[in-house]
Amino acid sequence: MERQAGFPFAFACRRSGNCCAIPGGFVRVTAAEATAIAAHLALSPAAFASRYLQPDGQRLKEGLGHRCVFLQDGAEAGCAIYAVRPAKCRAWPFWPEVLTDPGLRRLVERTCPGVVPLDG
Ligand code: SF4
């Protein structure tokens, strides 16, 4: 189980894929991340942006049913760009805003079967 100082839960990924399919959620990508993902997929930056980025160029498009376009189904969910996934995905569920937003903390704990509250 992974822990980080100050966070009220421990975490061990159960490969549910739930964190990649939160209704209303989105995956923000920086310009550097977009460049790295495009290279990983052997796409030009323009082709990557056209296929996988929202018009604002800062978020991934959604796949079916609010799912991330790179989420792969299976008994264990996977990420098609795991080696170059965005920082926000790497940091889940230890997002700083979870510490200041009780609603987001509840959402994280409800969404992710790998999150285990430490306070009972
Ligand atoms: S980029 Fe990968 S890790 Fe991030 S939300 Fe999409 S499928 Fe999940």
Side-chain angles (χ1 to χ4, degrees), residues 9-94:
F9 46 71
F11 170 66
C13 183
R14 303 266 303 273
R15 304 279 301 270
S16 71
N18 289 0
C19 58
C20 310
I22 298 174
F26 58 86
V27 182
R28 190 177 296 285
V29 289
T30 65
E33 289 168 343
T35 299
I37 298 167
H40 182 77
L41 297 173
L43 291 173
S44 70
F48 172 73
S50 171
R51 285 193 207 176
Y52 294 116
L53 293 182
Q54 300 279 7
D56 66 9
Q58 299 180 347
R59 296 171 293 150
L60 295 179
K61 284 183 176 171
E62 283 188 1
L64 291 175
H66 304 295
R67 303 155 63 76
C68 175
V69 70
F70 290 119
L71 177 59
Q72 296 175 317
D73 280 318
E76 292 189 333
C79 170
I81 56 164
Y82 188 80
V84 290
R85 67 198 187 284
K88 199 78 176 177
C89 306
R90 291 177 190 276
W92 171 271
F94 298 106

